[in-house]
């Protein structure tokens, strides 16, 4: 298992040390870096797999620093591969709905319960492993007489057009000859079929109804009645992993 790179950002030294100790009990091999505020975190210019982030970040010495919610919003503007899994740590439960807005993975209340921490850490580690598998296994396709490697995180969704498949990418599109059924089997767990003509990257499903899926880039795709139940189960499994 790869070493998990962890950042702890909290303006209370005792809380930073407590969280670091709890992490060590779960996985002694983790790489841990501590930050006292958002400015210190951003100055570090490092990438992390997991970020324990205090929402009420603040410091009299750095009054212009962002709070935790603002920092999380800024991080969500980064390319997907550079975004950490975020677990908020706070003394107040009133922020729980705002946490969803910045796609926080989980939410821990202070004082942090050790059993609850262990549960959240385990789920976060599984999520990170799933993301790493997705990033490490690119799609190799035959295109224009040669093999082309396409990173899965660069694909929003795949569209079937007769005997061809159209990859809708972050930087355009790519069409090649292929079978949707074969691709669906290959990408199971990371992508889901929502219609005979669409296979979506579950990482980019922002919301959905019984009739359509809305992706993070704003694209709306039809969900067929026959595919809805299987899609919901696949999406739930993806989130739990």
């Amino acid at each position: 298992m790869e070493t998990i790179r962890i950042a702890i950002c909290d303006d209370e030294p005792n809380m930073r040390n407590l969280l670091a100790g709890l992490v060590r009990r779960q996985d002694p091999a983790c790489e841990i870096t501590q930050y006292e505020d958002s400015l210190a975190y951003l100055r570090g210019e490092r990438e992390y797999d997991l970020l324990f982030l205090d929402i009420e970040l603040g410091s009299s010495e750095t009054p212009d620093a962002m709070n935790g919610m603002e920092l999380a919003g800024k991080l969500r503007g980064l390319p997907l591969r550079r975004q950490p899994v975020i677990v908020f740590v706070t003394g107040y439960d009133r922020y729980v709905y705002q946490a969803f807005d910045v796609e926080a993975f989980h939410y821990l209340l202070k004082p942090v319960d050790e059993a609850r921490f262990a549960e959240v850490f385990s789920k976060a580690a599984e999520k990170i492993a799933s993301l790493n598998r997705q990033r490490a296994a690119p799609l190799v396709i035959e295109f224009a007489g040669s093999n082309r490697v396409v990173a899965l995180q660069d694909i929003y969704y795949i569209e079937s057009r007769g005997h061809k498949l159209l990859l809708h990418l972050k930087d355009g599109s790519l069409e090649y000859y292929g079978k949707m059924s074969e691709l669906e089997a290959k990408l199971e767990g990371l992508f889901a079929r929502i219609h005979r003509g669409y296979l979506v990257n579950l990482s980019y499903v922002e919301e959905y109804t019984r009739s359509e899926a809305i992706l993070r880039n704003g694209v709306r795709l039809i969900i067929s009645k026959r595919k809805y139940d299987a899609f919901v189960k696949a999406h739930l499994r993806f989130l739990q992993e």
Side-chain angles (χ1 to χ4, degrees), residues 159-186:
E159 182 180 358
S160 175
R161 291 187 174 181
H163 297 294
K164 292 185 177 181
L165 297 176
L166 181 62
L167 306 183
H168 293 268
L169 308 170
K170 289 184 176 180
D171 57 355
S173 60
L174 180 62
E175 190 174 53
Y176 72 104
Y177 287 99
K179 294 181 179 179
M180 185 72 98
S181 58
E182 293 179 359
L183 207 53
E184 180 182 7
K186 177 181 175 64

Side-chain angles (χ1 to χ4, degrees), residues 89-212:
V89 185
T90 179
Y92 305 95
D93 60 6
R94 63 174 179 267
Y95 296 110
V96 64
Y97 294 110
Q98 290 175 262
F100 288 121
D101 292 338
V102 291
E103 301 174 44
F105 179 73
H106 252 294
Y107 192 102
L108 289 170
L109 284 174
K110 299 177 182 178
V112 178
D113 177 77
E114 184 171 351
R116 175 62 175 159
F117 181 92
E119 178 184 349
V120 170
F121 184 88
S122 176
K123 290 180 178 179
E126 291 174 3
K127 177 70 173 178
I128 291 164
S130 176
L131 290 172
N132 286 341
R133 285 195 298 272
Q134 179 175 355
R135 292 163 183 164
L139 182 65
V140 180
I141 63 173
E142 292 185 11
F143 179 76
S146 63
N147 291 329
R148 177 163 174 175
V149 178
V150 181
L152 297 186
Q153 67 265 25
D154 290 338
I155 305 172
Y156 282 114
Y157 69 100
I158 301 164
E159 182 180 358
S160 175
R161 291 187 174 181
H163 297 294
K164 292 185 177 181
L165 297 176
L166 181 62
L167 306 183
H168 293 268
L169 308 170
K170 289 184 176 180
D171 57 355
S173 60
L174 180 62
E175 190 174 53
Y176 72 104
Y177 287 99
K179 294 181 179 179
M180 185 72 98
S181 58
E182 293 179 359
L183 207 53
E184 180 182 7
K186 177 181 175 64
L187 301 179
E188 183 179 6
L190 302 174
F191 284 64
R193 193 81 170 263
I194 62 170
H195 184 275
R196 63 180 298 182
Y198 300 125
L199 188 64
V200 298
N201 188 333
L202 291 168
S203 294
Y204 296 119
V205 176
E206 185 136 277
E207 59 182 289
Y208 61 87
T209 66
R210 293 195 69 88
S211 61
E212 69 175 3

